[in-house]
Amino acid sequence: MNTFTVSIQETSNKAIIKFELNQFITKNQSFEFNNIDEAKPSPLAQQLFYLPFVKKVYISSNFIAVERYNIVEWEDVQDEIAEQISDYLNDGGIIIEETAVSKKVPVTVYAESTPNPSVMKFVANKKLVTALFEFTSIDEAKLSPLATELFHFPFVKNVFLDENYISITKYDIAEWLDITVQLREFIRSYIENGKDIVLPGAAESLQKSTKQIDTYFESLDDTSKEIINILEEYVKPAVASDGGNIQFISYDAITKKVSVLLQGACSGCPSSTYTLKSGIENMLKEMLKDKVETVEAING
């Protein structure tokens, strides 16, 4: 059984805190409970309502959001609640009874072109994964039932999953004009039916869980950490909007060379290797002064 871990996330509403989990707890369903009676279909929510300051509980995808009454401050109780949720889930506690009726939210998926003519980005109105995944063949896709299904289309070459979107790379045998609607409808129907996007524990199996990533980060030298922080803050948001990702591989202090991996729409894009390499190289040279000389961009 995969161990649940809980991280605390603030929201724009100071009365509400999200307890984010490292795996999904509902099948693309959402549930909202306003009191302990309403929460009968959710033993977990009922347990939370025994806390006198809990006003509302919202359960969806990979998080539990709790709204509080003003009799306490979150900083005084949030760690205890996170531990309570973690203990409950890891003891096999029931989250939602099978008979529970979810708050129905229609699934929508829209297609978005990317700078890479071979890649189309399919964006959903639901969170799909808790970590990013890239699969270049049906053999690699064993941990993702959705990617496996997509590889049954003969024109699918690569599948990249992140947050709420899927970037698909096609072979040249097909044109996007002929296949976009088919792929969009397939993805929408797949999500709506509550099927697994990736298998539980997939992130841990591929060393992509938050805990594993944090452990890896702490093992790096200070310059590598600085490089990763710069990529996370200044580069990743831009490439994610184009359906891709850039991942730190290594830093050589002697040659002052940084190696990065281009994924999703960035991989194989006619202009991305040069553009990203030059852009990142200039940025790192400027921000880290004499620590970086060159950047090597590798296609995923």
Side-chain angles (χ1 to χ4, degrees):
M1 186 178 73
N2 298 297
T3 303
F4 284 93
T5 58
V6 181
S7 62
I8 299 168
Q9 306 290 335
E10 294 182 354
T11 71
S12 57
N13 186 335
K14 291 183 178 180
I16 299 175
I17 282 284
K18 280 174 67 175
F19 298 93
E20 199 164 282
L21 304 163
N22 62 326
Q23 50 191 296
F24 286 88
I25 54 175
T26 71
K27 298 283 188 180
N28 291 302
Q29 297 170 301
S30 298
F31 302 87
E32 187 176 309
F33 306 108
N34 295 290
N35 55 58
I36 198 167
D37 286 337
E38 282 188 13
K40 287 178 182 177
S42 173
L44 170 58
Q46 280 200 312
Q47 187 177 103
L48 291 171
F49 274 114
Y50 280 111
L51 300 170
F53 53 82
V54 171
K55 182 179 181 181
K56 184 180 291 188
V57 177
Y58 184 81
I59 299 175
S60 182
S61 60
N62 70 316
F63 70 86
I64 299 156
V66 178
E67 183 175 356
R68 63 169 172 80
Y69 287 106
N70 292 328
I71 58 174
V72 297
E73 295 297 329
W74 275 123
E75 61 186 21
D76 298 325
V77 297
Q78 61 188 29
D79 290 335
E80 288 182 34
I81 296 181
E83 184 177 355
Q84 181 177 333
I85 292 172
S86 176
D87 290 345
Y88 180 89
L89 295 176
N90 287 315
D91 286 341
I94 295 173
I95 302 162
I96 298 288
E97 300 282 2
E98 291 185 5
T99 55
V101 178
S102 68
K103 185 180 179 181
K104 192 68 175 177
V105 178
V107 175
T108 61
V109 175
Y110 69 87
E112 187 178 283
S113 60
T114 75
N116 188 338
S118 296
V119 178
M120 187 70 72
K121 180 180 177 184
F122 296 87
V123 185
N125 64 332
K126 301 217 176 236
K127 186 164 185 175
L128 304 178
V129 290
T130 59
L132 62 86
F133 300 89
E134 183 168 39
F135 305 104
T136 60
S137 70
I138 196 168
D139 286 336
E140 283 187 7
K142 290 175 182 176
L143 291 172
S144 172
L146 172 57
T148 298
E149 292 284 341
L150 287 169
F151 276 114
H152 284 123
F153 291 99
F155 45 76
V156 171
K157 181 180 182 181
N158 180 291
V159 178
F160 178 79
L161 307 168
D162 190 12
E163 287 282 333
N164 68 324
Y165 71 85
I166 304 160
S167 288
I168 296 178
T169 306
K170 70 173 180 66
Y171 286 106
D172 292 338
I173 59 167
E175 297 297 330
W176 284 121
L177 188 64
D178 301 323
I179 61 176
T180 298
V181 173
Q182 181 184 8
L183 284 171
R184 186 182 66 201
E185 179 55 28
F186 172 81
I187 293 169
R188 188 201 62 77
S189 177
Y190 187 99
I191 297 169
E192 193 169 65
N193 288 329
K195 297 179 181 179
D196 285 332
I197 308 297
V198 296
L199 296 178
E204 285 81 1
S205 297
L206 296 174
Q207 300 293 306
K208 291 177 177 288
S209 71
T210 301
K211 184 177 180 180
Q212 290 165 329
I213 291 172
D214 288 345
T215 300
Y216 167 70
F217 180 82
E218 291 305 322
S219 71
L220 296 171
D221 61 90
D222 289 343
T223 302
S224 293
K225 289 178 181 178
E226 287 184 275
I227 293 167
I228 289 175
N229 287 335
I230 291 170
L231 294 178
E232 290 285 340
E233 184 173 356
Y234 297 102
V235 180
K236 282 197 174 186
V239 296
S241 67
D242 286 335
N245 182 59
I246 183 162
Q247 184 175 313
F248 172 82
I249 298 176
S250 64
Y251 167 70
D252 189 320
I254 297 174
T255 62
K256 299 182 181 180
K257 184 175 82 171
V258 178
S259 294
V260 296
L261 179 69
L262 305 181
Q263 298 177 295
C266 296
S267 179
C269 181
S271 61
S272 68
T273 302
Y274 173 77
T275 304
L276 283 173
K277 179 181 182 298
S278 300
I280 295 168
E281 199 168 81
N282 292 335
M283 182 184 296
L284 293 177
K285 282 181 179 179
E286 175 66 27
M287 299 182 79
L288 297 177
K289 299 305 177 185
D290 298 326
K291 295 178 182 178
V292 173
E293 285 295 332
T294 59
V295 171
E296 176 188 32
I298 300 168
N299 285 315

